[in-house]
Amino acid sequence: MGLVGAELFGSAAGLGASISYYGGLLKTSNMLASLVVVTALGVLMTQILSIIEGHFDSWRTGLGK
């Protein structure tokens, strides 16, 4: 998500730039579509990393187990 934030200020292409561009033109439907894509990617990546963490969780040792 940090990359999207960086794109809002310094990029000419990408999701962050499209959010900034469409926001400046007050085209809220296009801006919200870009935000939905960013949100979906964030949820997808979180779920993928959770699955990977669950796979390697059996190797974890300590007081929490």
Side-chain angles (χ1 to χ4, degrees):
M1 294 298 120
L3 292 174
V4 175
E7 283 185 10
L8 283 170
F9 298 107
S11 179
L15 287 173
S18 70
I19 293 169
S20 178
Y21 176 74
Y22 290 127
L25 293 178
L26 299 176
K27 292 190 174 190
T28 55
S29 61
N30 293 343
M31 184 184 71
L32 288 176
S34 297
L35 285 173
V36 167
V37 170
V38 169
T39 303
L41 287 173
V43 169
L44 180 67
M45 293 303 294
T46 300
Q47 292 301 316
I48 289 171
L49 289 175
S50 179
I51 291 168
I52 292 170
E53 181 183 15
H55 175 73
F56 291 109
D57 196 31
S58 62
W59 296 0
R60 194 177 290 174
T61 61
L63 296 175
K65 282 274 191 176

